[in-house]
Amino acid sequence: MVDFDGLEQADVAAALVTGPTHRLTRHTTRFRDLIPFWRPGQEAGIALAGPDLRPLLRALDLAGSDRPAPLITVPQPPAPGGPPGQVLCAVSCTAVDPAESDADGSVLLLATPVRSESSGAAARQHVTADRAEDLARYEALLSAVPQVVWRMTADQRETFTLVGRLGETGGGLWNPAGPGFSWMDAVHPKDHDAFAAQWAATARGDALLDAVVRIRQEGDPVRYRHMRIVTVPVLRDGAVAEWIGTVADAEDQWRVRTRDRLLERVSAVSSTDNLSRVFATTAAAVVPDLTDALAIFQLRYPDEADAGNLYATRVRTALANGVPPLGPIDDDFALGALSRETIDRRRTQMITFPPGQPPEGLVSDASAAWMERAQATSIALIPIVIDGRTAALAAASSCLGNPPPAEIELGLLEEVLRSVEEPLRRTLELRSLRNTALTLQRSFLITPPQIRGGELAAVYHPASTTAEIGGDWYDATVLPDGALALSIGDVAGHDLQAATEMTKASSMLRALVYTADTDGPARTLSRLDQVTHGVSTAALITAMHAVLRPTTGHRWQVSLSNAGHPPPLLIPATGHPRHLNDAATPDLPLCVTPGAARHEGQFDLHDGDTLLLYTDGLVEKRGTDLSESMAQLTHRVAALTSPDRSLSALLKDLLPLAGEAIDDIAVIAFRADRTRHPTA
């Protein structure tokens, strides 16, 4: 570490700077008195502005080389009642080894005032020659680079071009004229606040300004181009006297960097099969960088019976801060003429208009009202094409009075949306396969029959987002003697084989139940176990079978046998729901041990009582114990049950939200109700 306590006693001004920008981190008292305008934490390029101090900047850059120490003239604050002074100093810049300093890339700066007249004269000659050499080199450099070099007054009201070449290449900048205008008015509204904050930080001396912003182009009030602006303030007596800077075209640089960043964001969906995630990731990637509002619609092409309309569902939206939310729309609504034209041509279309004033008839009344509230200035419709057909439509809007997107921004938006076409195509294919699989799955499930003296409802809820088919089933059969047989089961696995074995098991159980005569549920499950050992390849089947018989006094007598299945839930007309663990003690599942003993339990359902049978997907939750989940189910049922809620509504409300279920769910329930008299 540098011994600053020792340097404090020496007759020399000492300071320590770090990093490539030479930020001042430590200094002695003599250094503070000699160079009071260089504050701790300030970069050298800010504090040492002006030609007199340029040699010191060069010496800091070349620390560690054999270049001789320069002489510099350091301005001094004026004495009371007198003019500002100057002190001629000899400086030495030494690269400090990291083991001896506070940080990597450190330089120890030593400055000693020069007192002799002869030395002063020699120093002035050296500085004059150095200035001339630097000026010649600087002018030659400026004449070779495609940029504008400018000087601006301290109040930013007047700008003077010193060297300029952008105009020669057709990239002229907007030059404000008239009172009340400043150069900052040329900055794009979206970049204005951030750029103004950077400018203020540079004026305070906190950092150099080097930024890429959109600048209005000459002759066009809404056309902007990305420019790189580098500027420093020129200080006199500690105050900003003027600004010196450069403006260089950065359109291509911005496009490449932004393209790489946006495509990296959406690359995460390249391996997903979740349609919602594809759209959500895409929308979040482009807002607010390329647009203020984005809505993505999935299209549904008409069937022969409805060939005149084209429908869409809004599946994802993303809005920048301050943009009002989109209003609700139907899940399946007809598209307008502009959307149809975009879909048919498979080409992006953009319409611009004054803030909040879309052309009449361009969009629906609800969309026009939103555009007025959002002060929208444009709408761009971008088709997402899969295998030569428009599968989705993206609608992008500039809002809050912001200018419409430039061609480069619209092109990037199109490129990002095109980048998800392949994962979107794969996802849509999987969704189509899954819909087909679910249709097949549901074809195995019966529609609950109408029951005199009771209400019956059932629901099936798939968990998988792929084309897998589960092994869950439920069944309800009215027996020849008027009794009602209920069954529910789950074949291990999530593939076509599991579905096939489920079909075998449920069909065999239905046949055995209907021909059981006086056999009870336990005997019926034993016979099913015997048959499945002979004709099924299933490794494990859990099942529950119950027979409900109406009796006098508006009661139903229930006989039930459980083959390794979750216990049923009794929801009494009065009181708290409870699991029937005693009446339905589980035996071994099917396909485990041939001839395993099967037991049977009995209980009564009174008028208003409900019997709920379910598969384990209803109570399985990641990170939650099964007993705790079953207890949560009873509390949820208690909260949802009410006399005016239908049994079908109760079952739907019990299902988890989309994407939360970790397994398929099958539920069937019976409610005793003496007022029920079904029609044919």
Side-chain angles (χ1 to χ4, degrees), residues 459-464 471-473 488-491 494 542 564-567 613-622 624 626 629-630 632-633 636 654-657 659-667:
V459 64
Y460 175 78
H461 181 77
S464 176
D472 293 31
W473 91 85
I488 194 165
D490 185 3
V491 177
H494 288 86
T542 67
H565 205 75
L613 310 181
Y614 57 91
T615 57
D616 54 6
L618 186 64
V619 290
E620 283 184 342
K621 295 181 181 179
R622 291 186 178 91
T624 304
L626 184 59
S629 296
M630 294 176 64
Q632 292 175 357
L633 175 63
R636 181 164 175 78
L654 286 178
L655 297 178
L657 298 176
E660 290 187 357
I662 62 176
D663 197 359
D664 296 343
I665 299 172
V667 184

Side-chain angles (χ1 to χ4, degrees), residues 437-453:
L438 290 177
T439 301
L440 179 63
Q441 170 83 6
R442 290 192 171 100
S443 69
F444 301 146
L445 305 173
I446 56 93
T447 299
Q450 296 287 324
I451 303 297
R452 178 180 295 274

Side-chain angles (χ1 to χ4, degrees), residues 272-340:
T272 186
D273 52 20
N274 187 304
L275 186 63
S276 179
R277 187 184 175 202
V278 172
F279 286 138
T281 302
T282 304
V286 300
V287 176
D289 288 351
L290 302 181
T291 184
D292 296 317
L294 183 75
I296 300 179
F297 302 86
Q298 185 178 355
L299 304 184
R300 181 175 69 80
Y301 285 88
D303 51 27
E304 294 182 359
D306 192 18
N309 291 316
L310 182 62
Y311 298 95
T313 300
R314 190 170 69 198
V315 292
R316 184 60 59 177
T317 60
L319 305 173
N321 290 334
V323 177
L326 296 168
I329 59 175
D330 295 335
D331 288 340
D332 211 5
F333 65 95
L335 295 173
L338 182 63
S339 298
R340 292 181 64 97

